[in-house]
């Protein structure tokens, strides 16, 4: 249980872990758990990955931090690697996904001001989640995380997710719009997968109107959905892309990448961060990219995701109370017809770590290093847990 010295911000489950290995974690009592959450899409390479450990230890013994007032060669290398993978031009590093999105929002506003738009607006979507700083929670389409923190940051126009016509309509009525901020697949919003062509349609609208397309790849990026970045499924190159989570495999790092005209917006002094891209986090992120590339984990995530999705559909697809099973790569969801937070504890007791989001969606974000047998074990165990939970209505 959290102590009285900790702010009561998290409803932690009654378990503490001592160590991990691959896709497994061990608690203080020696019980082991199959991790199907990966720290919310963070530990794509699993726990205690040798290459990550080696990079972390070696760099910690050399140099942890220097100010951005000096050149940081590892940061330069990381920026180049990410830009080449994503088809972007330059990068700003920070410490989290929220900070990456905060940078993207500031970039979009500055882009507007540089075009003499005094109150630049950004189109955002219902059900989205972009972080918990004041600007990013204002941009998020989640009333629950906004409540009590009003007045919110102004300048966001909200439209339904997966609705291109609504974006067009907002553009017709508001001449101050300068950007669209969108997740390729919603994460906290319930793993909603838009129709094919949605991102491409947004790209077209943004091009026609001179807006920036900002794609939040914080949860979907770094091979999670079967491509390095989810927007690549549609061949879309955004103007701004934000990353975090899987980039550091547990070491806190975020990135805001920019392309084309967006890459020319920030100037010296426009933005910054003390810890931005220090040698330690950049060395680890480079090791993560090396391993993802070497192991072809984008391809692996696509293949294993198909296997896991098929197994979940086979086992739970026709169970009363299961509304839909969906996913792309290793970002999967089982949607029930009722709230199911209780499943977190039940899954824990059964030895698997899962997540429930949007009240009734079981979210699965296993490490990309999952084996076929671990995927089968997850499907079998989740089948048992969900059936037991729904049992009263299946009889």
């Amino acid at each position: 249980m959290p102590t009285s010295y900790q702010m009561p911000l998290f409803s932690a489950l009654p378990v503490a872990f001592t160590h991990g290995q691959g896709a497994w974690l061990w608690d203080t009592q020696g019980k082991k758990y199959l991790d199907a959450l990966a720290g919310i899409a963070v530990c794509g390479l699993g726990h205690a990955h040798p290459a990550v450990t080696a990079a972390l230890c070696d760099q910690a013994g050399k140099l942890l931090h220097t100010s951005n007032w000096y050149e940081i060669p590892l940061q330069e290398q990381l920026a180049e690697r990410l830009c080449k993978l994503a088809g972007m031009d330059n990068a700003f590093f920070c410490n989290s996904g929220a900070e990456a999105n905060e940078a993207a929002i500031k970039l979009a506003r500055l882009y507007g001001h540089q075009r003499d738009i005094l109150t630049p607006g950004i189109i955002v979507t219902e059900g989205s989640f972009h972080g918990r700083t004041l600007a990013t929670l204002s941009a998020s389409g989640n009333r629950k995380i906004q409540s009590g923190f009003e007045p919110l940051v102004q300048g966001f126009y909200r439209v339904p997710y997966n609705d291109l016509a609504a974006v067009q309509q907002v553009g017709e009525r508001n001449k101050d719009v300068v950007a669209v901020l969108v997740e390729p697949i919603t994460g906290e919003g319930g793993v909603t997968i838009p129709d094919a062509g949605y991102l491409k349609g947004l790209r077209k609208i943004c091009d026609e109107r001179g807006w920036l397309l900002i794609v939040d790849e914080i949860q979907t990026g770094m091979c999670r959905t079967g491509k390095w970045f989810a927007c690549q499924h549609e061949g879309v190159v955004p103007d701004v892309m934000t990353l975090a989570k899987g980039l550091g495999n547990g070491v806190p790092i975020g990135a805001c990448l920019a392309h084309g005209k967006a890459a020319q917006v920030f100037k010296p002094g426009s933005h910054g961060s003390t810890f931005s891209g220090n040698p330690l986090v950049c060395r680890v992120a480079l090791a993560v990219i090396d391993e993802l590339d070497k192991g072809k984990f984008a391809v692996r995530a696509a293949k294993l995701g198909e296997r896991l999705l098929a197994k979940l559909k086979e086992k739970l697809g026709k169970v009363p109370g299961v509304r839909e099973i969906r996913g792309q790569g290793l970002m999967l969801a089982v949607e029930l017809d009722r709230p199911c937070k209780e499943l977190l504890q039940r899954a824990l007791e059964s030895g698997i770590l899962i997540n429930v989001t949007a009240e009734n969606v079981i979210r699965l974000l296993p490490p990309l290093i999952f084996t076929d047998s671990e995927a089968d074990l997850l499907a079998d165990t989740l089948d048992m847990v969900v059936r037991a939970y729904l049992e009263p209505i299946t009889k």
Side-chain angles (χ1 to χ4, degrees):
M1 292 289 290
T3 71
S4 59
Y5 294 103
Q6 295 172 274
M7 291 188 183
L9 294 170
F10 302 96
S11 300
L13 290 165
V15 64
F17 301 108
T18 56
H19 63 286
Q21 186 70 50
W24 296 88
L25 285 166
W26 281 260
D27 72 11
T28 51
Q29 306 303 309
K31 180 180 176 181
K32 74 174 191 177
Y33 302 82
L34 182 61
D35 186 359
L37 184 58
I40 314 181
V42 168
C43 301
L45 293 173
H47 303 283
H49 190 283
V52 174
T53 303
L56 188 61
C57 293
D58 183 62
Q59 190 60 42
K62 291 178 178 172
L63 183 64
L64 292 179
H65 176 83
T66 58
S67 166
N68 277 287
W69 291 116
Y70 309 102
E71 294 179 357
I72 302 176
L74 287 166
Q75 185 185 122
E76 295 163 10
Q77 292 173 35
L78 180 59
E80 182 177 352
R81 290 290 297 278
L82 282 174
C83 285
K84 285 183 174 176
L85 286 169
M88 307 296 276
D89 293 332
N90 57 23
F92 162 74
F93 293 103
C94 49
N95 311 294
S96 68
E99 287 178 66
N101 281 333
E102 188 85 20
I105 290 166
K106 287 181 70 176
L107 189 153
R109 285 191 167 198
L110 190 55
Y111 170 79
H113 280 280
Q114 289 171 354
R115 281 154 181 73
D116 298 323
I117 297 173
L118 298 181
T119 56
I122 301 172
I123 295 177
V124 293
T125 66
E126 294 171 2
S128 62
F129 181 85
H130 299 294
R132 290 179 182 270
T133 64
L134 199 51
T136 56
L137 75 83
S138 299
S140 296
N142 182 333
R143 182 62 194 139
K144 192 174 171 184
I145 67 165
Q146 296 170 340
S147 179
F149 296 107
E150 298 85 352
L152 301 178
V153 174
Q154 300 299 300
F156 296 105
Y157 301 100
R158 203 168 310 286
V159 299
Y161 189 65
N162 195 27
D163 189 338
L164 293 172
V167 174
Q168 288 280 27
Q169 288 166 11
V170 170
E172 291 299 323
R173 292 196 301 267
N174 301 279
K175 300 306 177 189
D176 288 344
V177 172
V178 296
V180 175
L181 168 60
V182 68
E183 295 166 280
I185 299 172
T186 68
E188 297 295 320
V191 193
T192 304
I193 302 170
D195 295 338
Y198 178 56
L199 281 186
K200 201 171 275 187
L202 289 176
R203 177 72 276 175
K204 184 170 183 291
I205 293 170
C206 288
D207 287 343
E208 290 170 351
R209 294 181 175 275
W211 300 345
L212 300 181
L213 176 60
I214 305 170
V215 176
D216 178 342
E217 292 264 13
I218 287 161
Q219 195 160 138
T220 52
M222 307 310 294
C223 303
R224 171 62 52 187
T225 69
K227 296 279 187 185
W228 274 97
F229 310 103
C231 61
Q232 293 174 336
H233 286 288
E234 293 199 2
V236 167
V237 177
D239 300 294
V240 181
M241 176 191 291
T242 53
L243 300 170
K245 292 192 181 293
L247 178 56
N249 209 64
V251 173
I253 180 172
C256 176
L257 312 182
H259 173 255
K261 54 185 180 290
Q264 308 303 316
V265 173
F266 278 160
K267 307 294 181 193
S270 296
H271 193 52
S273 166
T274 298
F275 297 107
S276 168
N278 74 27
L280 181 72
V281 296
C282 288
R283 174 73 185 277
V284 173
L286 281 164
V288 170
I289 292 171
D290 283 343
E291 292 303 308
L292 291 175
D293 189 29
K294 197 162 56 179
K296 301 186 184 314
F297 279 105
V299 175
R300 173 65 181 159
K303 189 176 176 184
L304 188 60
E306 285 178 11
R307 178 190 178 100
L308 188 51
L309 186 63
K311 287 214 169 267
L312 290 170
K313 286 183 175 178
E314 176 191 327
K315 289 177 173 296
L316 289 167
K318 294 181 179 175
V319 172
V322 175
R323 186 175 285 166
E324 186 182 22
I325 300 170
R326 55 183 178 267
Q328 186 160 32
L330 286 174
M331 187 171 183
L332 302 113
V334 179
E335 182 176 339
L336 305 188
D337 64 359
R338 71 201 67 181
C340 58
K341 287 278 185 188
E342 186 183 325
L343 282 175
L344 297 177
Q345 179 63 37
R346 291 184 179 221
L348 194 67
E349 291 166 1
S350 297
I352 58 172
L353 305 182
I354 61 170
N355 176 246
V356 169
T357 191
E359 300 296 333
N360 65 330
V361 177
I362 302 166
R363 179 172 47 167
L364 303 174
L365 300 162
L368 309 180
I369 47 96
F370 240 41
T371 63
D372 287 355
S373 60
E374 287 165 345
D376 293 348
L377 177 60
L378 172 62
D380 290 342
T381 309
L382 189 64
D383 174 48
M384 178 187 69
V385 170
V386 171
R387 283 178 184 272
Y389 178 67
L390 296 172
E391 195 173 21
I393 67 161
T394 59
K395 283 181 177 176

